[in-house]
Amino acid sequence: MWNMHWMRWPIYGPAFIAMGIAAWGMWKNLGLKAKFFQLAEKDDARREGMGGRLWFATQYVFGHGRILRDAYPGVMHFLLFFGMFMLFLVTLTVMAQEDFTALFFGYEFLHGPTYLVWSLIGDLFGISLLLGTIFAFVRRYVVKAKRLDSTPQELWAILLLFAMVFTGFLAEGLRMVGDGEVLKPWAPWSPLGWLIALGINALDLGLGTIKAIHAVNWQIHLVLALVFIATIPWSKFWHMVPGFLNVAYHNKAAKPDLPLLTMADLEDETRETFGIHRVDEFTWKDLFDTEACMRCGRCTAACPAHNTDKPLDPKKIIQDLKANVDDKIPRWLDAKGAAKEDV
């Protein structure tokens, strides 16, 4: 941790606070809603064989098969997903060496060719993440894809990711200049960091200036990373959690399990309603679908009725249902489990 050795241990305080806030937000999003979902109709088949379901979801998410069917957003998501995942893995690996194996056992596993390859991987996937944010910005705010309804939340997510990664690369470039690595033969193994370092080196700044800029930039990068972690439950990034679980709880049956109305139902004069009348009449999985909705608009784009100018918008239906669920939860909790009819 060049130039920031004094932050080796203090960094863990804010890090644990950020993770605590994120954990509390996740509990608020899923834990409290799970209690509300207990009011809904049962669909216990969805919970059978969870080991196999989780393995399927892992293959599905990392495989990106369906997502890549839609070329532009598919490639964009691929760049964002694997860029973030690999940078997270690289960061954990470096922390494991610096703050554990090297510190307590004097053992460094990131050295020589291994270090060079790991540096290359980190830079390439960092570039991937930067490109993904650019793709996302262009799609939402330049091309303005019709099926998207952009809000400040999306702009915040894009800018936060871009700033977080860019300040990371800037810190790498400043370090390479400060410790003289920029002129070493192995410097190009960190391609973008090296190019930034060459630009900084051409400015011929003094070592003191380099260290001062690096310290400020490093702390900005840290704050951005902690803000990213802490705000996951309230940001666009939240879809990572319910999205994964939603895939795990997929319907294994060959056909959708939809309740059908028979002629006897329609002729029953004692019935006051047909189909779904209250939120609690959905299955818990139906309600969980609203939490996992990412507002990508693929359902609306594929809807034949919507594409023939009919007033039907599947995405809006899901979002309205989610708003209804969110509105019901506080009242249900205040009633401490009131009867369905009262909710």
Side-chain angles (χ1 to χ4, degrees):
M1 192 183 294
W2 180 82
N3 192 42
M4 299 300 294
H5 296 289
W6 58 277
M7 280 293 292
R8 179 188 296 275
W9 299 119
I11 190 178
Y12 283 97
F16 283 125
I17 292 174
M19 289 188 287
I21 294 173
W24 175 79
M26 290 179 186
W27 162 249
K28 186 176 180 181
N29 281 355
L30 287 183
L32 297 181
K33 286 184 179 180
K35 294 182 178 180
F36 181 80
F37 292 170
Q38 291 174 3
L39 287 175
E41 297 296 327
K42 301 300 181 183
D43 190 9
D44 292 329
R46 301 273 188 167
R47 303 176 184 179
E48 297 174 354
M50 279 309 299
R53 287 180 175 276
L54 292 174
W55 175 239
F56 171 84
T58 301
Q59 292 177 303
Y60 183 94
V61 170
F62 280 85
H64 264 64
R66 279 194 181 178
I67 298 176
L68 289 172
R69 291 178 187 176
D70 203 350
Y72 191 107
V75 172
M76 177 197 75
H77 193 275
F78 184 91
L79 294 172
L80 290 170
F81 176 84
F82 284 102
M84 176 58 69
F85 177 78
M86 289 304 299
L87 278 185
F88 177 70
L89 189 60
V90 167
T91 301
L92 284 183
T93 304
V94 173
M95 287 179 63
Q97 173 177 282
E98 295 298 316
D99 296 344
F100 186 68
T101 63
L103 185 64
F104 295 107
F105 304 102
Y107 174 67
E108 295 185 355
F109 50 86
L110 292 176
H111 61 85
T114 303
Y115 171 78
L116 296 181
V117 171
W118 210 233
S119 295
L120 179 62
I121 290 174
D123 265 41
L124 290 180
F125 281 99
I127 294 170
S128 166
L129 189 50
L130 283 178
L131 288 175
T133 59
I134 294 172
F135 278 30
F137 184 87
V138 170
R139 184 166 182 257
R140 283 189 175 273
Y141 302 104
V142 179
V143 176
K144 297 181 179 179
K146 185 178 179 181
R147 74 191 201 193
L148 299 177
D149 56 329
S150 298
T151 67
Q153 187 183 67
E154 281 75 35
L155 183 60
W156 158 260
I158 293 171
L159 295 179
L160 177 61
L161 277 183
F162 184 88
M164 185 171 64
V165 180
F166 179 77
T167 52
F169 275 118
L170 183 57
E172 181 181 42
L174 289 163
R175 175 192 60 77
M176 294 177 75
V177 174
D179 65 8
E181 187 178 335
V182 63
L183 301 177
K184 302 295 183 181
W186 58 81
W189 281 84
S190 301
L192 185 53
W194 176 58
L195 291 176
I196 293 174
L198 290 175
I200 296 172
N201 197 50
L203 298 176
D204 198 24
L205 302 174
L207 181 59
T209 303
I210 293 292
K211 286 187 173 182
I213 297 174
H214 175 271
V216 172
N217 176 78
W218 190 91
Q219 291 176 76
I220 292 174
H221 174 70
L222 172 63
V223 170
L224 292 173
L226 296 181
V227 168
F228 168 80
I229 294 171
T231 59
I232 284 176
W234 300 277
S235 70
K236 192 72 174 179
F237 309 118
W238 171 240
H239 78 272
M240 296 184 293
V241 179
F244 177 84
L245 293 175
N246 199 45
V247 174
Y249 288 127
H250 71 284
N251 181 17
K252 291 185 175 182
K255 296 181 180 180
D257 185 17
L258 299 175
L260 300 176
L261 287 174
T262 65
M263 285 301 298
D265 293 325
L266 297 175
E267 294 172 355
D268 184 357
E269 296 182 358
T270 63
R271 294 192 60 155
E272 297 181 358
T273 63
F274 296 93
I276 301 296
H277 180 60
R278 297 190 310 269
V279 168
D280 53 80
E281 292 176 342
F282 286 101
T283 68
W284 69 267
K285 178 59 170 60
D286 292 330
L287 298 180
F288 189 71
D289 287 343
T290 68
E291 186 67 27
C293 176
M294 292 167 269
R295 296 184 23 250
C296 67
R298 290 178 68 181
C299 57
T300 296
C303 177
H306 184 83
N307 289 330
T308 52
D309 298 323
K310 303 296 189 302
L312 176 63
D313 188 337
K315 182 177 72 172
K316 187 177 186 303
I317 292 174
I318 295 296
Q319 287 299 305
D320 288 347
L321 180 58
K322 181 179 185 300
N324 190 273
V325 171
D326 291 342
D327 176 64
K328 291 285 194 298
I329 289 176
R331 286 190 281 159
W332 180 81
L333 291 176
D334 288 343
K336 295 182 180 180
K340 293 182 180 181
E341 289 75 11
D342 297 329
V343 179

